Amino acid sequence: NAQGHDSAEAIITSLIALAHACRMTVTAEGVETVEQARILRTLGADRGQGFLFSRAVPHVRVHELCAGFPVVEKLGAVEAAKN
């Protein structure tokens, strides 16, 4: 419902503001859709992780999968990739 969405957004915005006030970087976890990434970026999250970026992989394959690719940490990179 709309009220639940508004409450969730208010909580997320408050947590992001608190973390930034403490000079922390905010990583939004569990990002599954481009829409979620867009909303979280708009609310101020610095980074994101979740199935939108990669499914879980065994730790022994992480280096192999990342070799040759720039690290994409910013949620804003999702928007750039769409263009």
Side-chain angles (χ1 to χ4, degrees):
N1 66 29
Q3 184 178 3
H5 175 78
D6 291 344
S7 295
E9 187 172 308
I11 292 167
I12 292 167
T13 300
S14 297
L15 290 172
I16 291 171
L18 177 62
H20 285 162
C22 294
R23 298 185 179 157
M24 299 171 73
T25 300
V26 176
T27 301
E29 297 189 13
V31 181
E32 296 182 1
T33 68
V34 171
E35 180 66 8
Q36 288 173 340
R38 186 193 63 73
I39 291 168
L40 290 163
R41 182 68 189 135
T42 299
L43 296 177
D46 302 299
R47 299 179 177 159
Q49 70 180 45
F51 285 162
L52 175 63
F53 304 103
S54 175
R55 297 286 180 191
V57 296
H59 74 279
V60 295
R61 294 206 50 226
V62 171
H63 181 70
E64 168 194 339
L65 292 172
C66 293
F69 291 97
V71 177
V72 179
E73 294 180 327
K74 300 276 185 189
L75 286 172
V78 172
E79 294 297 320
K82 288 179 17 185
N83 296 329

